[in-house]
Amino acid sequence: MAGRNYTFVTEFFLTAFTEHPEWRLPLFLLFLSFYLSTLLGNAGMIILIQKNRRLQTPMYFFLSHLSFVDICYSSVIIPQMLAVLWEHGTTISQARCAAQFFLFTFFASIDCYLLAIMAYDRYVAVCQPLLYVTIMTEKARIGLVTGAYVAGFSSGFIRTVTAFTLSFCGSNEINFIFCDLPPLLKLVCGDSYIQEVVIIVFAIFVMPACIVVISVSYLFIIVAIMQIRSAGGRAKTFSTCTSHLTAVALFFGTLIFMYLRDNADQPSEGDRVVSVFYTVVTPLLNPLIYSLRNKEVKEALMKSLTSKISGRP
């Protein structure tokens, strides 16, 4: 390192997708429509759950928080992405970059925890149905959600402080859609081993830990379902879990591709497409998954629309 000159970076220049000027307007309109649809779909899901008595259950209580987090999660990323496309690249200060990274990590961590909690909720409902009401009390579900928010904040805060105590030098260009960890680590100068270990250790408490909880929960669920004698009973029981499994597969599948692999190379166009999927598409699809694949939500939605059309309260 001695004898080498470095220009230390105090701001970053986001340039994702700007190498294709002809894509600028179509992508801007596409992402804007996705964002508005995400806000509408998730806000609609929250309102529907709050107003319909049949949906006043622990599962939908967790789902309403998942919808709220998805609104916040996408709002951290998409407006910045729209600015990059509109301005053909945009400059972001290191403090603002750190704030975006913290908020992204905070809400993404809560998303992981909520999906794990929902898996546990399905385990109790299927494997211990007689004890479900006594286990999933109002106090218990508030405690679980509060724990998810506290754990998400702790993970986001420690990872952000650790990441932004590093020194960034050389090029300040980030060819990515937001201030995420893999592209930021490419700009680090000097030894970052200790910081990267801390970041990885705290990441283990989020994604891998949640995947273990989800996997174990569904292992017990599958065993319980296989013990049901009638094929109709098995199908009906498993159908209550398919929406959650679909959401889990979409969210964790893309995160695993991005973070649990070698990131030695510069972010490729494929990486940016995958990042768009877990930051833009997944929050949009969640309300659709839980409404189109869930009989109770569809019935509640139809009842709400029918009452609006007929003018009944």
Side-chain angles (χ1 to χ4, degrees), residues 191-224:
D191 185 15
S192 62
Y193 176 76
I194 295 176
Q195 287 90 337
E196 289 187 37
V197 168
V198 173
I199 291 168
I200 291 170
V201 167
F202 276 89
I204 290 173
F205 287 102
V206 184
M207 188 162 46
C210 291
I211 290 173
V212 169
V213 171
I214 293 169
S215 300
V216 171
S217 297
Y218 275 100
L219 178 63
F220 281 108
I221 289 171
I222 291 171
V223 171

Side-chain angles (χ1 to χ4, degrees), residues 126 219-230 234 237:
V126 173
L219 178 63
F220 281 108
I221 289 171
I222 291 171
V223 171
I225 289 175
M226 295 305 295
Q227 292 175 351
I228 299 175
R229 294 184 178 181
S230 68
R234 289 196 297 268
T237 304

Side-chain angles (χ1 to χ4, degrees), residues 31-293:
F31 292 146
L32 179 60
S33 65
F34 277 11
Y35 182 51
L36 295 176
S37 299
T38 298
L39 297 180
L40 181 63
N42 284 286
M45 181 66 72
I46 294 171
I47 294 170
L48 186 66
I49 292 171
Q50 292 296 320
K51 289 193 170 184
N52 194 283
R53 291 182 180 179
R54 290 186 62 188
L55 303 182
Q56 301 296 314
T57 63
M59 182 178 73
Y60 295 108
F61 173 78
F62 299 134
L63 179 56
S64 65
H65 279 274
L66 183 68
S67 294
F68 169 73
V69 171
D70 280 343
I71 289 174
C72 300
Y73 176 65
S74 59
S75 296
V76 171
I77 306 299
I78 302 180
Q80 179 70 67
M81 191 191 312
L82 294 175
V84 171
L85 289 168
W86 186 256
E87 300 171 11
H88 202 68
T90 187
T91 301
I92 181 171
S93 67
Q94 190 171 131
R96 188 176 166 192
C97 183
Q100 186 181 52
F101 177 72
F102 165 73
L103 290 172
F104 163 73
T105 306
F106 174 47
F107 290 118
S109 298
I110 297 173
D111 233 328
C112 292
Y113 290 128
L114 286 175
L115 289 171
I117 290 169
M118 292 170 74
Y120 173 70
D121 172 76
R122 292 298 83 207
Y123 156 74
V124 176
V126 173
C127 300
Q128 302 185 51
L130 299 179
L131 299 175
Y132 183 74
V133 176
T134 57
I135 294 175
M136 283 296 173
T137 61
E138 183 178 2
K139 183 178 180 180
R141 58 181 188 247
I142 290 174
L144 287 170
V145 169
T146 302
Y149 280 85
V150 171
F153 178 86
S154 301
S155 175
F157 180 77
I158 292 173
R159 294 186 75 203
T160 302
V161 170
T162 305
F164 283 87
T165 54
L166 296 167
S167 296
F168 303 98
C169 57
S171 172
N172 70 338
E173 183 175 310
I174 298 178
N175 194 355
F176 208 64
I177 64 173
F178 69 103
C179 287
D180 200 6
L181 189 60
L184 282 172
L185 291 178
K186 306 297 187 298
L187 307 181
V188 171
C189 53
D191 185 15
S192 62
Y193 176 76
I194 295 176
Q195 287 90 337
E196 289 187 37
V197 168
V198 173
I199 291 168
I200 291 170
V201 167
F202 276 89
I204 290 173
F205 287 102
V206 184
M207 188 162 46
C210 291
I211 290 173
V212 169
V213 171
I214 293 169
S215 300
V216 171
S217 297
Y218 275 100
L219 178 63
F220 281 108
I221 289 171
I222 291 171
V223 171
I225 289 175
M226 295 305 295
Q227 292 175 351
I228 299 175
R229 294 184 178 181
S230 68
R234 289 196 297 268
K236 183 179 179 180
T237 304
F238 192 73
S239 67
T240 63
C241 305
T242 54
S243 298
H244 180 255
L245 276 175
T246 305
V248 166
L250 288 172
F251 188 68
F252 282 103
T254 50
L255 285 180
I256 288 170
F257 177 84
M258 282 299 297
Y259 296 105
L260 298 185
R261 66 188 180 91
D262 182 20
N263 287 298
D265 299 326
Q266 290 293 327
S268 66
E269 192 166 293
D271 291 341
R272 295 195 294 273
V273 171
V274 172
S275 67
V276 166
F277 202 88
Y278 68 77
T279 57
V280 179
V281 179
T282 302
L284 168 68
L285 292 180
N286 276 345
L288 293 176
I289 291 170
Y290 281 100
S291 60
L292 296 178
R293 299 184 63 88

